[in-house]
Amino acid sequence: VQLQASGGGLVQAGDSLRLSCTASGLTFSSYATGWFRQAPGKEREFVATISRSGNVIYYTDSVKGRFTISRDNAKNTVFLQMNSLKPEDTAVYFCAADKSDAYGMRGRVKTMEYWGKGTQVTVSS
């Protein structure tokens, strides 16, 4: 199983980025998916999760109204549209897939079934 994330980069505060994560080696539509992030010296944290069908979504409070998660099961891909980026969004962003639901997935950092390798997002002030 592979989760290949892309789309990170160096941007200025207020800019936008779109992250993509394409999965292979698994039945993508059978997994809840999501994005997590890890800043230097901090633990990996939940950002957004989406259910198998895409109709149930959760966001951490700090990104509500700025980030949008979506998925395309036909393309085995999950997206994270990030708008109005802030310096505190700087982190390595990881995509994940798990057979739990979108709600339960939020707390499974230590027991997640599959992780991607991560993509760096750096927001300068």
Side-chain angles (χ1 to χ4, degrees), residues 60-78:
T60 193
D61 286 346
S62 63
V63 309
K64 285 179 181 175
R66 300 189 298 122
F67 290 12
T68 302
I69 189 171
S70 60
R71 65 188 292 165
D72 184 340
N73 285 343
K75 296 183 178 179
N76 289 0
T77 301
V78 59

Side-chain angles (χ1 to χ4, degrees), residues 81-117:
Q81 177 67 42
M82 305 186 294
N83 298 331
S84 302
L85 281 160
K86 303 176 181 180
E88 51 264 44
D89 294 318
T90 295
V92 178
Y93 283 70
F94 298 88
C95 60
D98 197 85
K99 281 213 164 182
S100 66
D101 57 21
Y103 180 83
M105 191 180 177
R106 302 173 308 156
R108 287 176 59 85
V109 170
K110 297 189 187 300
T111 56
M112 196 71 66
E113 197 155 350
Y114 299 113
W115 287 107
K117 284 189 177 180

Side-chain angles (χ1 to χ4, degrees), residues 1-4 21-28 75-77 97 114:
V1 173
Q2 279 195 323
L3 300 177
Q4 185 65 49
C21 175
T22 300
S24 59
L26 76 170
T27 304
F28 186 71
K75 296 183 178 179
N76 289 0
T77 301
Y114 299 113

